[in-house]
Each structure stands twice: as C-alpha cells, then as structure tokens.
Amino acid sequence: MKLERLFEGKENRLYFLDGRELPVAETAASAEDLIQHTIMPDEKKALAVAVTWSLVGKDEDSYNEDFLAAFRDALKELEEKNLFAIIVPVADCECKTDSQKENLTLSMKHCARRIKDCKSVIGFYVPFEADASFFMEELSAKHAHYVFFSNEESLLKDKTIARLS
C-alpha cells in the first residue's frame, strides 16, 4: 500500500503540498507517551515523536512487535484527528561500528514497515548515529512519500530536508 505524498521539504522547512507551512513542535514526545495518551498534540504543529532503538528492537531477532502494533494504533488515532507526526529515532546506545549503524537503520526501516499505512506519519528524522545516505535510501525504497528531517548543517545543504527545530 503506497500512500500519497502530503508534504514536501522546501528550503529546509515543511510544507503541505498546497504551500501552507506546517511548523514542527520544539520538543519531542516519547512514543510511550503517545501510546498511553499522556500527551496532547498541537493541531497547528507536527508532533515530533521519539522512538528509542531498544524499544523497536536492535536487530531482527529482537523486534518488539507488541510495541510496534501499539505505536501504529496511536498513529492511526492521530490520523483520525488530522494530526501529523515525525518519527525521531533515538539511539540509546553508542553506534561505533558500521554494523551497529546498519542495525539502527534496519530497525527503523522495520518500524516504518509496521506503520506504513499511517497517513499521520510525515517522515523520519535522520539520526546522526546512522549513515545518513544509507538511512534515507533504505526508508525511501518503500516510503517515497516520507520527508526527511535533520539539524545537521551538512544534510541541510539539501534543501528538501527539513529542519526539525
């Protein structure tokens, strides 16, 4: 199931396709808070949702399908309210090796696969612990509608990448 693109990154900002800008919330909420309904998203801003790597699972043998199902349900609730979210991967451990960086990317790719039908998901923040080009390539393969976000100046040279804050 492919979703239609609703947003674009332009001049490092986030816009609806009709040209209206959608600001991003200054602070990220945790995925757990979203699932437990302890946060109230602002309808005038995209919600940044922090998703920890260990909660998703650090490799294909440890993916947390219960969490991912609950996360999907929470994102579907946002969709019903016409609210939007940006997924912000959090590497809750060091990524020193190429293998660890790859596993972070593959875990977030698995997360994206589990939430693929959520129109509320605008895209993903590119974690600085990952190889940026590999991360965006892997997630774009099946999610061409995603906008990518960063605060890293080297990535923001690409004007289609939106600034998170």
Side-chain angles (χ1 to χ4, degrees), residues 61-79:
D61 295 327
S62 68
Y63 292 147
N64 184 343
E65 299 300 342
D66 291 336
F67 161 73
L68 292 168
F71 187 45
R72 179 192 172 277
D73 291 345
L75 291 168
K76 291 302 268 183
E77 287 179 31
L78 289 183
E79 184 178 311

Side-chain angles (χ1 to χ4, degrees), residues 115-132:
I115 60 175
K116 69 181 177 211
D117 66 334
C118 297
K119 292 179 185 176
S120 61
V121 176
I122 297 168
F124 274 70
Y125 180 81
V126 180
F128 72 89
E129 297 90 351
D131 175 278

